[in-house]
């Protein structure tokens, strides 16, 4: 079980110390693998293909190849997109926030011509400093295209930055503006907008007080035939994983639960209908209302394993159709990354799958599922270039780019701890049976042999080394020094969940 806010501080200190020690112990192995890859990779077929593609791009370009700025290269999604543009022959500039000046892994990628540290927007930092630093990079490097790979905490600020970049430079931007980002980012406004477009949605209510929640969950003189879950509109990591089904049969239990959540006008929640069935996430690139790249895969509350659905599957086709209809109805002003989380209602008697899929939230930003385009990385990079077509002409790309491989993606650092170390520890202390250990170890070694790591590339290995030998040890050390407690961390997005 992960530690919580109630866990003693010494346990959190021990957790950080143990993970730092593990990184130190494995650093020689990581260094050996990285160095060996650096020596051998120039002689591989894939490296030769990259050199040929870049040479072709340089010779065929009218003038210099376009320069692309990718922000968020410390996250796997940003790093992947930067590598894709490099493989396609473009000049790539990387930028990201570096908390406590800890270097992010993308800084070490050979895909980048140069890297810039950006001022991070927060409650203690004027967003104008972030926008100013971003504009400085664009003007200094003469950037033609900015690909925003924002995290959840900076989505709205990236919307502001997008509008500033478009108004003050000639740089094209793949990022929604402020209004559209806010509309899609906020759970309740996203559902309302989806309903306005005539698409299927779960019943959703905005909750800003305990009494408001009680009236909806225990209506007078009415029978409630649905169950709901409460989701925070803000970024409260401590209740992110709370999936309590409401209402309880006793009103006092429901009220007690709402009291612990503390909904208020400054701490809003959404009360959303619970749909029983599998969850899926999507990632799409939308250029002026057209979906130019799309993928989807099974999802989870903390998703660390990615495997694309076959393009021939009925679910894939339905989620693609839903996304295309949404983008088309939003109009030609819609340009950016568009990701929706869906639930498929297995209990519904509807035959039309479009009436059985329910969107539960939207991420108006790049999704980590973009790594599933590894086999189509060059085609994906070219899909972005549809933004340079004339607004008066139809977008001239042959067809939407889909993922074609069923290869799974994982992060070895996450799996090594959660599927190798922890199961061994719980088995050794007689907390779990041998079958639990065997199951986790089998899955770990299957991933190690048959799946691909979301960060490691033979031709570009140093970001992998920096992630595990520099970034995470420093992050855990900073947590020890500050005394901040955490319950989970996402290796792919580098997000640490406070508790």
């Amino acid at each position: 079980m992960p530690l919580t806010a109630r866990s003693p501080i010494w346990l959190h200190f021990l957790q950080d110390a143990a993970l730092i020690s593990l990184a130190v112990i494995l650093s020689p192995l990581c260094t050996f693998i990285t160095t060996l890859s650096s020596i051998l990779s120039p002689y591989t077929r894939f490296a030769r293909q990259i050199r040929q593609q870049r040479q072709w791009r340089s010779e065929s370009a009218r003038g210099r190849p376009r320069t692309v700025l990718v922000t968020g290269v410390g996250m796997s999604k940003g790093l992947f997109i930067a590598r894709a543009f490099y493989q396609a022959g473009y000049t790539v500039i990387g930028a990201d926030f570096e908390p406590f000046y800890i270097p992010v892994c993308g800084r070490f990628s050979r895909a980048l011509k140069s890297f810039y540290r950006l001022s991070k927007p927060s409650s203690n930092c004027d967003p104008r400093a972030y926008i100013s630093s971003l504009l400085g990079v664009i003007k200094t490097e003469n950037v033609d295209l900015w690909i925003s790979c924002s995290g959840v905490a900076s989505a709205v600020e990236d919307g502001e930055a997008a509008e500033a970049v478009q108004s003050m430079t000639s740089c094209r931007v793949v990022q929604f503006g402020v209004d559209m980002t806010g509309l899609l980012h906020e759970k309740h406004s996203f559902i309302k907008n989806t309903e306005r477009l005539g698409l299927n949605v779960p019943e959703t209510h905005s909750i800003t007080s305990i009494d408001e929640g009680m009236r909806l969950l225990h209506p007078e003189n009415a029978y409630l035939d649905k169950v709901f879950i409460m989701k925070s509109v803000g970024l409260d990591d401590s209740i992110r994983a709370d999936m309590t089904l409401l209402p309880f049969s006793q009103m006092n239990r429901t009220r007690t639960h709402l009291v612990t959540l503390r909904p208020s006008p400054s701490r809003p929640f959404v009360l959303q209908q619970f749909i029983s069935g599998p969850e899926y996430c999507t990632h799409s690139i939308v250029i002026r209302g057209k979906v130019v790249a799309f993928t989807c895969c099974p999802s989870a509350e903390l998703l660390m394993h990615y495997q694309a659905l076959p393009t021939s599957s009925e679910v894939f086709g339905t989620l693609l159709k839903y996304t295309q209809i949404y983008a088309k109805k939003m109009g030609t002003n819609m340009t950016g990354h568009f990701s929706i989380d869906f639930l498929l209602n297995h209990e519904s008697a509807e035959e039309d799958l479009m009436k059985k899929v329910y969107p539960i939230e939207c991420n108006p930003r790049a999704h980590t599922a973009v790594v599933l385009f590894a086999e189509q990385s060059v085609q994906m990079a070219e899909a972005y270039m549809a933004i340079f077509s004339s607004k008066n002409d139809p977008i001239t790309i042959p067809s939407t780019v889909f993922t074609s491989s069923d290869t799974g993606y994982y992060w070895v650092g996450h799996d090594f701890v959660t599927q190798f170390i922890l199961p061994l520890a719980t088995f050794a202390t007689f907390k779990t049976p041998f079958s639990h250990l065997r199951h986790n170890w089998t899955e770990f070694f299957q991933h190690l042999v048959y799946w691909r790591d979301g960060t490691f590339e033979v031709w570009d290995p140093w970001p992998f080394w920096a992630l595990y030998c520099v970034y995470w040890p420093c992050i855990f050390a900073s947590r020890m020094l500050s005394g901040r407690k955490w319950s989970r961390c996402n290796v792919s997005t580098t997000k640490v969940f406070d508790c």
Side-chain angles (χ1 to χ4, degrees):
M1 290 292 290
L3 300 182
T4 67
R6 296 182 179 180
S7 303
I9 189 66
W10 67 267
L11 271 181
H12 284 272
F13 188 91
L14 183 62
Q15 175 180 250
D16 292 323
L19 290 169
I20 293 172
S21 300
L22 186 63
V24 171
I25 292 170
L26 295 177
S27 286
L29 177 62
C30 286
T31 303
F32 173 76
I33 293 173
T34 302
T35 304
L36 185 64
S37 297
S38 296
I39 294 171
L40 299 180
S41 64
Y43 306 101
T44 62
R45 184 179 63 178
F46 189 71
R48 289 196 297 272
Q49 290 174 345
I50 294 176
R51 289 196 294 270
Q52 291 169 0
Q53 176 68 26
R54 292 187 61 79
Q55 183 177 358
W56 172 84
R57 177 73 61 189
S58 178
E59 293 173 352
S60 62
R62 297 176 181 177
R64 63 176 179 85
R66 286 195 168 102
T67 299
V68 180
L69 169 65
V70 182
T71 51
V73 294
M75 297 180 281
S76 296
K77 57 186 179 182
L79 176 62
F80 176 83
I81 292 173
R83 285 168 166 171
F85 276 104
Y86 175 82
Q87 292 172 50
Y90 296 99
T91 301
V92 186
I93 309 299
D96 207 341
F97 315 124
E98 290 188 319
F100 308 109
Y101 297 94
I102 299 171
V104 297
C105 68
R107 170 188 280 271
F108 299 87
S109 175
R110 64 175 295 185
L112 304 185
K113 174 192 171 187
S114 53
F115 174 87
Y116 291 84
R117 180 187 296 123
L118 298 174
S119 301
K120 185 173 183 177
S122 67
S123 57
N124 299 321
C125 179
D126 192 331
R128 287 178 294 183
Y130 163 58
I131 295 173
S132 177
S133 63
L134 186 65
L135 286 169
V137 174
I138 291 172
K139 292 176 180 178
T140 300
E141 295 290 346
N142 196 19
V143 172
D144 300 294
L145 175 63
W146 170 37
I147 307 293
S148 166
C149 289
S150 58
V152 62
S154 60
V156 175
E157 287 80 3
D158 274 339
E160 293 182 51
E163 295 180 357
V165 169
Q166 289 173 316
S167 65
M168 301 175 67
T169 73
S170 60
C171 178
R172 301 292 177 92
V173 174
V174 179
Q175 165 66 45
F176 303 129
V178 175
D179 292 341
M180 189 171 294
T181 299
L183 178 70
L184 300 175
H185 177 70
E186 298 296 340
K187 296 177 177 65
H188 189 251
S189 61
F190 164 67
I191 294 296
K192 286 295 184 184
N193 185 64
T194 306
E195 187 176 28
R196 180 185 64 82
L197 296 178
L199 293 166
N200 204 31
V201 296
E203 184 178 338
T204 306
H205 304 276
S206 178
I207 304 297
T208 57
S209 71
I210 295 172
D211 289 338
E212 188 177 13
M214 290 299 296
R215 284 194 297 271
L216 288 167
L217 291 169
H218 291 277
E220 295 182 6
N221 304 319
Y223 172 71
L224 191 66
D225 62 349
K226 299 173 182 176
V227 291
F228 296 83
I229 56 175
M230 288 270 285
K231 297 180 179 180
S232 173
V233 172
L235 302 176
D236 191 339
D237 294 339
S238 64
I239 56 175
R240 178 185 172 92
D242 187 348
M243 301 295 287
T244 304
L245 297 182
L246 300 170
F248 292 108
S249 56
Q250 296 86 18
M251 289 183 62
N252 62 325
R253 288 190 63 195
T254 303
R255 179 173 287 276
T256 299
H257 183 75
L258 295 185
V259 168
T260 62
L261 296 179
R262 309 190 313 279
S264 68
S266 61
R267 183 183 163 86
F269 282 74
V270 292
L271 186 68
Q272 191 169 81
Q273 177 187 353
F274 174 74
I275 306 297
S276 178
E279 183 177 346
Y280 299 93
C281 64
T282 66
H283 168 80
S284 58
I285 304 168
V286 179
I287 305 295
R288 294 198 290 276
K290 291 189 177 183
V291 177
V292 298
F294 178 85
T295 190
C296 63
C297 64
S299 187
E301 193 275 320
L302 181 62
L303 186 59
M304 292 303 302
H305 297 146
Y306 290 80
Q307 195 164 26
L309 291 178
T311 56
S312 59
S313 74
E314 188 178 7
V315 174
F316 185 99
T318 300
L319 300 186
L320 170 62
K321 181 180 178 181
Y322 195 109
T323 303
Q324 288 175 325
I325 292 173
Y326 203 116
K328 183 178 181 179
K329 290 190 173 184
M330 290 296 287
T332 57
N333 289 328
M334 187 180 199
T335 295
H337 297 113
F338 184 48
S339 304
I340 305 177
D341 290 343
F342 289 93
L343 283 171
L344 174 59
N345 189 356
H346 274 174
E347 297 178 352
S348 173
E350 292 281 355
E351 293 185 3
D352 185 0
L353 208 58
M354 281 290 288
K355 295 181 180 179
K356 295 174 69 172
V357 294
Y358 290 83
I360 54 176
E361 64 182 26
C362 174
N363 299 304
R365 54 190 175 273
H367 196 289
T368 306
V370 69
V371 301
L372 296 171
F373 283 99
E375 302 296 327
Q376 292 80 34
S377 57
V378 173
Q379 295 94 314
M380 184 200 73
E382 295 303 331
Y384 280 105
M385 292 300 160
I387 198 171
F388 289 99
S389 64
S390 171
K391 292 184 179 181
N392 298 321
D393 296 332
I395 294 177
T396 54
I397 56 173
S399 60
T400 303
V401 179
F402 301 128
T403 47
S404 63
S405 173
D406 62 354
T407 301
Y409 290 80
Y410 77 115
W411 282 261
V412 67
H414 174 270
D415 277 20
F416 184 70
V417 172
T418 61
Q419 294 190 317
F420 190 90
I421 297 293
L422 292 181
L424 178 62
T426 56
F427 172 71
T429 53
F430 307 104
K431 294 180 180 178
T432 56
F434 177 73
S435 59
H436 179 264
L437 175 67
R438 181 179 58 196
H439 170 77
N440 278 278
W441 277 24
T442 299
E443 187 173 349
F444 171 72
F445 285 108
Q446 285 176 342
H447 290 172
L448 193 65
V449 175
Y450 299 110
W451 285 28
R452 291 180 60 174
D453 185 87
T455 302
F456 181 78
E457 287 286 354
V458 172
W459 65 272
D460 187 27
W462 288 103
F464 173 86
W465 176 87
L467 182 66
Y468 294 114
C469 298
V470 179
Y471 183 83
W472 280 115
C474 290
I475 288 294
F476 295 137
S478 70
R479 288 273 166 168
M480 292 175 69
L481 293 173
S482 65
R484 292 177 63 186
K485 297 181 177 181
W486 60 275
S487 59
R488 300 177 300 170
C489 60
N490 187 324
V491 176
S492 67
T493 63
T494 66
K495 178 173 175 58
V496 181
F497 297 88
D498 292 324
C499 61

